[in-house]
Amino acid sequence: MTTTVTSHRPQPPTQPLTLRARRLPAYAAPVIAVVALLVSAGVVYGAGIGGPVLVVVVGALLYLAGLYAAANAVEGRRAARNRTWSALIHSAFVLAVLPLASVVWTLVSKGSERLDGNFFGTSMNNIGARDANGGAYHAIIGTLEQVGIATLITVPLGVLCAIYVVEYGRGRFAFTIRFFVDVMTGIPSIVTGLFVLAFWVLIVSPWFNDGRPGFSGFAAALALSVLMLPTVVRSTEEMLRLVPAPLREGAYALGVPKWKTILRVVLPTALPGIVTGIMLAIARAAGETAPVLLVAGGGAAINFNPFENNQSSLALFVYQQAGEASKYSPARAWTAALTLVALVLVLTVAAKLLARRNRLGR
């Protein structure tokens, strides 16, 4: 009889299976960036071929090369490509944000000098070159009135035009509207100012002013509305086209008329995008100088009536103060620029909050 002997020797432990690949440590990228900047500074300043900008550019190139080499050695070629392209995307984001951050920092640092009650409560009437006082109250009033009137004119007209083009427009007439809207998008602001000057100030206004042409804030509002109209029409048109067709079809299937579908379904759905386009148009209009200078004339005194006499604006105030031969004028110009940016920001935030509150899905 044969006896089988079974060996009970211990087997060596097996390695656990894992799906994790080797990865660079979290501190690798910052270390590579610091080393790249140090090497770049040594090369640039050592050779005397440039300054801080060239150091940053050369350092960025060295960082990308070093990151690719390190990732290729540890993680492999595919992961190295992914890290390199991600670094390029992040670098592009930083390059896009840096000018904006620089502008904001410059505005806040230089514009805070005249943030006082005198600046916001007085005008430049009877203010000489050696007077440190004087403010932009008249310009703030002018900007609010001119942009407000232009918005009241442009928004209904632009939104209705976009609704016609998207919902009703067919054939050659709709194509003509789109064509002229595209043409108006590229019209320089000085041309719109000249148009309103030739039409309203020199031809129409004498009928209401005893035969004499007169500058006014309303004329500036007309010029600004011409500039705002193509932006409002195009942005509203694109937002209306993004509304899903099943929303319209569902309303039609329930027997809702087309005009009520547009009013109660399509417009609320597209409202956030429409508001964004309107605020872009308002921001452009608030920063225009040439039309206001041509048809409103500017002025140093406070004028609450937009239909009579000269009227200023914040953009025109900045332009005039920047060219004044006074040591106090630059501070006024910077503070007025900061005020203009803050005003547009407040209006944008308020409009976005209002649009979010009135969305269809609320």
Side-chain angles (χ1 to χ4, degrees):
M1 184 176 64
T2 305
T3 303
T4 304
V5 179
T6 304
S7 175
H8 294 284
R9 289 181 300 177
Q11 299 294 327
T14 58
Q15 293 288 343
L17 295 177
T18 178
L19 296 178
R20 283 189 170 184
R22 293 187 301 168
R23 295 183 61 84
L24 283 175
Y27 59 83
V31 169
I32 294 173
V34 172
V35 172
L37 284 176
L38 292 177
V39 172
S40 174
V43 171
V44 172
Y45 288 122
I49 56 177
V53 176
L54 186 59
V55 170
V56 173
V57 172
V58 176
L61 296 177
L62 292 176
Y63 168 72
L64 292 175
L67 183 64
Y68 179 82
N72 189 30
V74 177
E75 301 176 342
R77 181 178 298 178
R78 184 174 182 180
R81 284 166 145 184
N82 181 61
R83 281 187 176 271
T84 304
W85 281 105
S86 298
L88 282 173
I89 294 172
H90 295 157
S91 302
F93 170 75
V94 171
L95 288 177
V97 170
L98 278 178
L100 176 62
S102 176
V103 169
V104 172
W105 172 254
T106 304
L107 279 176
V108 173
S109 60
K110 294 188 176 182
S112 58
E113 182 177 348
R114 283 298 313 275
L115 286 177
D116 50 40
N118 181 266
F119 182 83
F120 293 102
T122 61
S123 67
M124 291 299 296
N125 199 23
N126 299 323
I127 299 296
R130 297 184 179 181
D131 195 342
N133 293 321
Y137 181 70
H138 63 298
I140 296 173
I141 295 299
T143 296
L144 293 176
E145 290 185 351
Q146 294 164 19
V147 175
I149 294 174
T151 303
L152 291 177
I153 296 174
T154 307
V155 171
L157 184 61
V159 172
L160 290 176
C161 180
I163 290 175
Y164 171 78
V165 170
V166 175
E167 303 292 340
Y168 297 96
R170 299 292 184 273
R172 187 171 299 177
F173 183 63
F175 173 79
T176 304
I177 293 177
R178 295 192 191 96
F179 174 76
F180 279 107
V181 168
D182 292 337
V183 170
M184 290 177 63
T185 305
I187 294 179
S189 59
I190 189 71
V191 176
T192 63
L194 289 173
F195 168 74
V196 175
L197 176 67
F199 172 70
W200 181 265
V201 176
L202 299 180
I203 297 178
V204 178
S205 65
W207 297 353
F208 309 98
N209 198 26
D210 297 330
R212 296 173 300 170
F215 293 155
S216 64
F218 181 74
L222 291 178
L224 296 179
S225 65
V226 175
L227 293 174
M228 294 172 60
L229 185 61
T231 303
V232 174
V233 173
R234 293 298 294 171
S235 61
T236 305
E237 180 183 351
E238 295 302 324
M239 290 302 105
L240 293 178
R241 292 186 188 279
L242 291 177
V243 176
L247 288 179
R248 298 179 174 88
E249 295 169 357
Y252 298 153
L254 295 173
V256 180
K258 186 171 185 177
W259 68 269
K260 188 174 289 187
T261 300
I262 296 172
L263 186 64
R264 303 299 297 272
V265 177
V266 177
L267 284 179
T269 305
L271 186 60
I274 295 174
V275 170
T276 300
I278 292 172
M279 295 314 302
L280 288 175
I282 290 176
R284 182 192 177 185
E288 290 293 343
T289 303
V292 181
L293 181 62
L294 282 174
V295 300
I302 300 172
N303 180 17
F304 288 97
N305 188 356
F307 299 99
E308 291 183 3
N309 301 324
N310 293 17
Q311 198 174 53
S312 185
S313 68
L314 279 172
L316 182 57
F317 180 82
V318 172
Y319 170 76
Q320 291 173 339
Q321 290 300 310
E324 288 287 335
S326 172
K327 66 178 182 179
Y328 303 108
S329 296
R332 299 191 194 106
W334 281 112
T335 305
L338 178 60
T339 304
L340 179 59
V341 172
L343 180 63
V344 173
L345 178 62
V346 169
L347 292 176
T348 302
V349 172
K352 296 296 287 185
L353 292 176
L354 182 63
R356 181 182 299 178
R357 184 177 180 181
N358 290 277
R359 289 185 66 177
L360 180 64
R362 183 175 178 267

